[in-house]
């Protein structure tokens, strides 16, 4: 199915430990994206809470279908008549000490129509910098795709970006989304090159919404939210600070890339 050209937007934030503050920021930025004509809007990972410690998000975990974070996302989709992909929020798990780091998808009526639980959990240790998401997050098990008005979307989160086999398991896509909170260290080294590689090898658009700046908890995230086309060209980017990155998905361009260089048809495995 060929979709018409459409406008998409990624929201970049510098989220705080206070959910209500982050909701107010997201409300303003999603409204700005919708006013600019975006039909689909992507929030960053951990948009609703970047706690003083990793365990802070456990206290704000919501059951599926209930809670202020989900109510806000549903109302934004409905109010603006957009597809909203809710970055990630902490969903309650069977383990009281850990949450599920989940992307929820809402249609323009505000209905929850898709879900992806982050599969690959980030671990990094170098000098004084150390992260271990498995301490507070239960990993997902299922590949996530969703059909929308802008095409078939493959869902992934942050560290997933390093695992190309995840995207291969999704089949042909129109758009890959990557809500993220890449650290400054790893982002500076690998963020753009990995995003562009995923666009090139899957011959589709990639929309990445990042945390981007110095947070209250002392963490610094890389930012550089961007839209990349199927040829691997960066079409729009925001280096640091909160804001909106927007651009167009052009299905004709994507099909042209696939016809002139039919790499997806040439696959053996």
């Amino acid at each position: 199915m060929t979709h018409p050209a459409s406008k998409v937007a990624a929201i970049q934030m510098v989220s705080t430990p206070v959910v209500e503050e982050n909701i107010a920021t997201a409300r303003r930025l999603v409204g700005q994206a919708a006013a600019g004509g975006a039909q689909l809007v992507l929030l960053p990972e951990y948009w609703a809470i970047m706690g003083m410690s990793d365990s802070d998000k456990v206290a704000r975990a919501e059951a599926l279908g209930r809670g202020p974070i989900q109510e806000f996302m549903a109302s934004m989709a409905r109010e603006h008549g957009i597809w909203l992909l809710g970055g990630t929020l902490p969903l309650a798990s069977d383990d009281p000490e850990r949450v599920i780091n989940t992307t929820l998808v809402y249609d323009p009526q505000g209905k929850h129509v898709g879900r992806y639980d982050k599969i690959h959990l980030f671990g990094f240790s170098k000098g004084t910098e150390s992260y271990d998401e498995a301490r507070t997050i239960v990993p997902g098990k299922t590949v996530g795709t969703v059909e929308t008005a802008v095409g078939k979307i493959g869902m992934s989160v942050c560290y997933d970006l390093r695992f190309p086999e995840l995207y291969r398991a999704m089949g042909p896509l129109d758009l890959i989304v990557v809500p993220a909170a890449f650290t400054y260290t790893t982002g500076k080294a690998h963020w753009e090159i990995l995003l562009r590689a995923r666009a090139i090898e899957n011959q589709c658009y990639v929309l990445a919404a990042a945390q981007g700046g110095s947070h209250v908890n002392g963490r610094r995230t890389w930012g550089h939210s961007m839209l990349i086309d199927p040829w691997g060209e960066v079409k729009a980017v925001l280096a640091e600070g909160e804001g909106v990155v927007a651009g167009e998905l052009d299905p004709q361009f994507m099909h042209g890339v696939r016809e002139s260089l039919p790499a997806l048809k040439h696959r053996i495995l």
Side-chain angles (χ1 to χ4, degrees):
M1 179 181 172
T2 300
H3 296 269
S6 51
K7 193 166 185 184
V8 297
I11 304 297
Q12 185 160 291
M13 292 175 61
V14 189
S15 293
T16 76
V18 183
V19 172
E20 293 71 23
E21 285 179 6
N22 299 324
I23 284 177
T25 300
R27 184 185 304 280
R28 175 167 48 80
L29 294 172
V30 170
Q32 187 180 322
Q39 294 159 258
L40 178 144
V41 178
L42 175 67
L43 287 162
E45 184 181 26
Y46 299 138
W47 73 266
I49 180 167
M50 286 276 281
M52 294 306 289
S53 72
D54 284 347
S55 58
D56 286 2
K57 60 181 174 287
V58 179
R60 294 305 300 251
E62 297 184 355
L64 184 63
R66 296 202 307 275
I69 299 171
Q70 291 169 83
E71 286 166 10
F72 164 75
M73 290 190 291
S75 70
M76 284 290 94
R78 193 167 51 243
E79 180 183 324
H80 295 295
I82 55 171
W83 290 85
L84 183 68
L85 281 74
T88 67
L89 81 154
L91 274 190
S93 76
D94 294 335
D95 182 342
E97 301 297 316
R98 297 193 294 167
V99 300
I100 308 165
N101 195 19
T102 299
T103 300
L104 295 180
V105 183
Y106 296 88
D107 71 12
Q109 286 73 49
K111 185 182 172 194
H112 165 225
V113 294
R115 171 179 176 176
Y116 168 68
D117 301 338
K118 184 180 184 179
I119 291 174
H120 301 98
L121 302 183
F122 182 56
F124 178 74
S125 185
K126 189 176 182 182
T128 58
E129 201 175 0
S130 179
Y131 302 94
D132 181 8
E133 288 189 325
R135 281 202 304 256
T136 55
I137 297 172
V138 176
K141 297 182 176 68
T142 310
V143 172
T145 64
V146 63
E147 291 285 350
T148 73
V150 308
K152 182 184 175 184
I153 297 176
M155 294 184 281
S156 60
V157 177
C158 201
Y159 191 49
D160 283 332
L161 184 58
R162 295 183 182 272
F163 301 88
E165 64 274 16
L166 174 67
Y167 303 95
R168 286 299 200 217
M170 297 174 180
L173 301 165
D174 298 291
L175 175 67
I176 286 168
V177 294
V178 190
F182 251 63
T183 70
Y184 188 88
T185 306
T186 59
K188 186 177 182 182
H190 301 145
W191 171 248
E192 182 180 319
I193 200 166
L194 286 171
L195 287 169
R196 293 178 71 188
R198 297 298 85 90
I200 292 164
E201 69 199 9
N202 294 291
Q203 298 188 316
C204 68
Y205 285 89
V206 172
L207 183 67
Q211 295 282 348
S214 297
H215 300 263
V216 177
N217 61 12
R219 186 169 167 183
R220 187 177 180 193
T221 45
W222 176 241
H224 292 79
S225 297
M226 60 181 75
L227 176 67
I228 301 163
D229 75 16
W231 194 244
E233 185 178 336
V234 177
K235 307 304 290 184
V237 63
L238 175 61
E240 215 169 19
E242 63 182 40
V244 177
V245 171
E248 193 171 85
L249 305 187
D250 181 351
Q252 295 307 120
F253 178 78
M254 184 176 72
H255 293 309
V257 167
R258 292 178 180 184
E259 282 174 16
S260 62
L261 180 63
L264 295 178
K265 290 179 182 173
H266 290 161
R267 283 177 59 205
I268 305 298
L269 298 175

